Amino acid sequence: MRIRLDISYDGTHFRGWARQPSLRTVQGVLEDALSRIVGGSPRLIVAGRTDAGVHASGQVAHLDLDDEQEARLPRRRRDNDEGDAVAALAGRVRGVLGAYPDVTVRRTSTAPEGFDARFSAVWRRYSYRLADAATGYDPLDRLRTTTVRSALDLEAMDAAASRLIGLHDFAAYCKAREEATTIRTLLEYDWRRGDDGVLVANVRADAFCHSMVRALVGACVAVGEGRIAVDDVVAIRDARMRIPETKVLAARGLVLAEVGYPADELLASRAEQTRARRDADVADS
């Protein structure tokens, strides 16, 4: 049985998503909670591995259960079918996590045939919150908002962001990893100022390489501060080389907001296509 989990977390006190020995991670905490409920060693496959300090409101993972684990799914007296038992799992996980945890499973559901949380995804959406001199500092938002001291030119930042949209090699905006491609399709990138005065970036792509969103945000901040021109973000991208004027901003402002999937009948073919493309990338590297 494969189960889809919809997950949210405050990443402040986690060392990222992926389980690591002796470190507190989102995957480690959730798998330990699941083990207490269904037994064995549950393993979560996630849509996007977030870095240390990055938050999520729309993370997605899947979990495969064997027959013995499936038999241990929590059932209430009024639960008469498998779907009810799967749906009840989210509540049991929340109970194990306790009151006011920094991670929660919002929903559990039976995954459609062919669903793979990672490989079936067609896009991921992130948001980034940034307070500048015009916004002011709100201590209640300090764990989810990055602060810069200067006043930023929102119009210039939004113009720069729009220049980057499309299929490109984003090596200049990624932290290099062995056997990993940096070619991505950036589907949306725009900036707005919220009602609270905070600048909010909306960034959507088919996938992201390591530190890509925070590097893209850093480039637009450099534009907003007047340190580089609007068109320089494209020149940097095409040169495939980082420059000192642009920085990778802090993780605290970044949230994985949403993961997009195709229609159920296309899930399996999408997963196959994604795996084949990743294998080709490794073979060509």
Side-chain angles (χ1 to χ4, degrees):
M1 173 188 287
R2 177 162 292 183
I3 297 174
R4 169 176 168 157
L5 298 89
D6 291 272
I7 302 164
S8 298
Y9 47 87
D10 176 343
T12 304
H13 300 297
F14 288 108
R15 295 298 297 272
W17 165 269
R19 180 184 281 275
Q20 301 179 60
S22 305
L23 295 177
R24 186 172 186 264
T25 68
V26 181
Q27 182 181 17
V29 168
L30 289 177
E31 287 179 348
D32 289 348
L34 287 163
S35 179
R36 291 178 58 182
I37 299 167
V38 300
S41 301
R43 181 169 177 261
L44 292 170
I45 303 298
V46 73
R49 292 187 176 190
T50 50
D51 294 334
V54 177
H55 316 297
S57 59
Q59 180 68 279
V60 179
H62 77 248
L63 168 70
D64 290 333
L65 300 182
D66 58 30
D67 291 342
E68 185 175 340
Q69 290 172 320
E70 182 181 343
R72 294 183 61 173
L73 282 174
R75 284 178 167 81
R76 299 163 296 191
R77 289 184 179 178
R78 65 177 178 273
D79 292 336
N80 297 316
D81 59 39
E82 175 188 286
D84 289 336
V86 171
L89 178 60
R92 284 292 300 276
V93 174
R94 292 193 295 268
V96 170
L97 294 172
Y100 306 109
D102 49 4
V103 57
T104 191
V105 175
R106 295 185 289 106
R107 180 172 177 263
T108 46
S109 56
T110 302
E113 184 176 353
F115 176 82
D116 184 296
R118 179 186 179 192
F119 290 115
S120 294
V122 292
W123 51 261
R124 286 90 171 159
R125 184 191 303 278
Y126 282 85
S127 65
Y128 195 96
R129 288 174 51 86
L130 185 65
D132 67 349
T135 309
Y137 174 72
D138 184 346
L140 297 181
D141 281 335
R142 72 190 186 282
L143 299 181
R144 67 185 187 118
T145 306
T146 298
T147 301
V148 297
R149 294 181 178 181
S150 51
L152 299 175
D153 184 339
L154 175 62
E155 185 175 342
M157 292 170 65
D158 190 51
S162 69
R163 304 285 205 280
L164 293 167
I165 292 173
L167 173 63
H168 304 285
D169 188 337
F170 285 94
Y173 297 110
C174 296
K175 186 174 181 180
R177 282 183 166 175
E178 261 188 68
E179 300 185 344
T181 180
T182 51
I183 297 173
R184 297 288 188 270
T185 301
L186 187 60
L187 299 166
E188 298 176 16
Y189 186 16
D190 56 76
W191 285 88
R192 64 177 176 82
R193 196 179 286 273
D195 293 339
D196 58 357
V198 171
L199 286 84
V200 181
N202 165 57
V203 193
R204 185 169 70 94
D206 59 345
F208 292 93
C209 43
H210 193 210
S211 299
M212 180 175 165
V213 179
R214 292 189 286 140
L216 291 173
V217 168
C220 284
V221 168
V223 171
E225 292 176 331
R227 290 186 285 114
I228 64 173
V230 167
D231 289 330
D232 286 346
V233 297
V234 174
I236 293 167
R237 182 199 66 204
D238 293 345
R240 302 180 188 177
M241 183 180 292
R242 290 196 179 191
I243 64 172
E245 286 80 7
T246 66
K247 299 178 180 178
V248 176
L249 289 200
R252 69 176 62 228
L254 185 60
V255 178
L256 173 55
E258 188 180 4
V259 181
Y261 294 95
D264 288 356
E265 63 271 18
L266 300 176
L267 289 167
S269 60
R270 170 63 184 181
E272 288 179 10
Q273 292 168 4
T274 305
R275 286 193 187 93
R277 188 167 65 247
R278 297 288 172 89
D279 291 343
D281 292 338
V282 171
D284 292 341
S285 62

